Amino acid sequence: MIRTGRTAIALTLLLAGSAFAQQQPPASPAAPPPVDFSKVEIKTTDLGDNVYMLEGQILGSIGGNITVAVGRTGIIMVDGQFAPLHDKIKAAISTISNLPIKYLINTHYHGDHTGGNEAFAKDGAIIVSDINVKNRLAEGTTNGLTGVKTPPAAAGALPTKTYAGKMLKIRLPGRVADLRHIAGAHTDGDTYVWFKTANVLATGDTFTNGRYPNIDFANGGNIKGMIAATNAYIKLTNAKSRIVPGHGPIADRAALIEYRTMLVTARDRMAALVKQGKSEDDVVAAKPFADLDKKWAPTELASKNFIRVVYHSLADKTDKKTVLKRMLRRS
């Protein structure tokens, strides 16, 4: 049975104001309103076998989900939200276990998942990620939809344990996390985390439950990789699996299959429009996903942005220099 509880925490998609600019998720095209972190709450869901999901909500916006897996000597945590929430996140985790956080895994580089890196590292956590997460954080990034630039993160926020292959195992007594990289999906540095004994999968933003995902095409994302990710998840999980999405409520395999169907439909429709030589403005005006919007787009802006990111992921051409640069980044 799943138990839920609330503590005073907030997990939110966006940070407002220049003071938090380096931790803004680069995927949001609209200027966010100021956030009062003191008013945010969190829901803690017990997934069984000492694994938990932390999710927060404020004014209808859901921040990046956190997974907490407790071993005998410490905790493995997946994603850490924004820096201003560090103390509240620790307080919430303390209601689960008083053991130290040994590892903090970044599923990708966006600020609503990595903002807490520096503070948790100061607490003693080892920050773990795919190598491209470290590279993106170190170099800074540009939002493909808005052109907004996110400056390099502080040195203390960079992952200190990285991998450039397809997988990595993180072990603690009584707990093993299998990390696997999916190439060119939400970004170029996505990691999903599989807690096999608990039958719990943490996907990061390669899966967003009940809403369109962002595809960060300017930083290696592509709808083809998103579909490849869901194919891997469907193969890995079963009817009893608990799936922690990057955003949205806890999901099961059936929700994942429905999400994949949406992605495939969107890819096929957009591929036909791209083949016809349609421009970005043409496809936005055509509203090719109007029937899908009823379930997956909470706003008109969300609908338009999904059209745009799918278009760019299929229409943009990657030159040989860019391909070589990506290969060197992973070396």
Side-chain angles (χ1 to χ4, degrees), residues 1-4 43-55 65-72 74-78 92-93 95-97 99 105 172-178 193-203 240-245 250:
M1 179 180 295
I2 295 175
R3 295 182 286 109
T4 60
K43 181 171 70 174
T44 300
T45 302
D46 185 345
L47 306 180
D49 194 33
N50 278 329
V51 181
Y52 303 81
M53 182 178 88
L54 308 182
E55 58 180 322
N65 292 327
I66 292 173
T67 306
V68 173
V70 183
R72 290 196 293 271
I75 291 170
I76 298 174
M77 180 177 169
V78 182
I93 294 174
T95 68
I96 296 168
S97 171
L99 290 172
I105 300 166
L172 287 177
R175 184 64 65 194
V176 177
D178 292 319
V193 185
W194 174 236
F195 296 101
K196 184 176 181 179
T197 59
N199 200 8
V200 171
L201 174 68
T203 68
K240 295 182 179 180
S241 299
R242 309 300 291 170
I243 302 167
V244 179
I250 192 72

Side-chain angles (χ1 to χ4, degrees), residues 209-252:
N209 190 16
R211 57 189 271 188
Y212 286 136
N214 172 52
I215 301 171
D216 191 351
F217 62 88
N219 295 286
N222 193 289
I223 192 169
K224 296 177 183 178
M226 297 288 279
I227 294 170
T230 58
N231 289 341
Y233 303 156
I234 291 168
K235 183 177 181 180
L236 185 64
T237 57
N238 57 42
K240 295 182 179 180
S241 299
R242 309 300 291 170
I243 302 167
V244 179
H247 299 269
I250 192 72
D252 58 14

Side-chain angles (χ1 to χ4, degrees), residues 6 9-15 25 27-28 33 35 37 40-43 45 53-66 81-82 85 108 110-113 204-205 207-214 244-250 298-299:
R6 293 187 179 274
I9 257 185
L11 300 182
T12 157
L13 282 170
L14 306 169
L15 284 174
S28 178
V35 175
F37 292 107
V40 190
E41 296 182 345
I42 191 167
K43 181 171 70 174
T45 302
M53 182 178 88
L54 308 182
E55 58 180 322
Q57 187 167 5
I58 183 171
L59 301 177
S61 295
I62 303 174
N65 292 327
I66 292 173
Q81 261 287 339
F82 294 113
L85 297 173
H108 60 288
H110 289 158
D112 58 333
H113 295 257
D205 283 3
F207 170 45
T208 52
N209 190 16
R211 57 189 271 188
Y212 286 136
N214 172 52
V244 179
H247 299 269
I250 192 72
T299 64

Side-chain angles (χ1 to χ4, degrees), residues 7 49 52-53 78 86 103 110 114 121 124 129 136 146 165 173-174 208 215 227 242 261-262 284 295 301 309 321:
T7 69
D49 194 33
Y52 303 81
M53 182 178 88
V78 182
H86 166 265
Y103 294 98
H110 289 158
T114 62
S129 76
R136 294 289 184 190
T146 67
T208 52
I215 301 171
I227 294 170
R242 309 300 291 170
T261 299
M262 177 273 292
V284 171
K295 175 177 176 60
L301 181 60
V309 297
K321 289 183 179 180

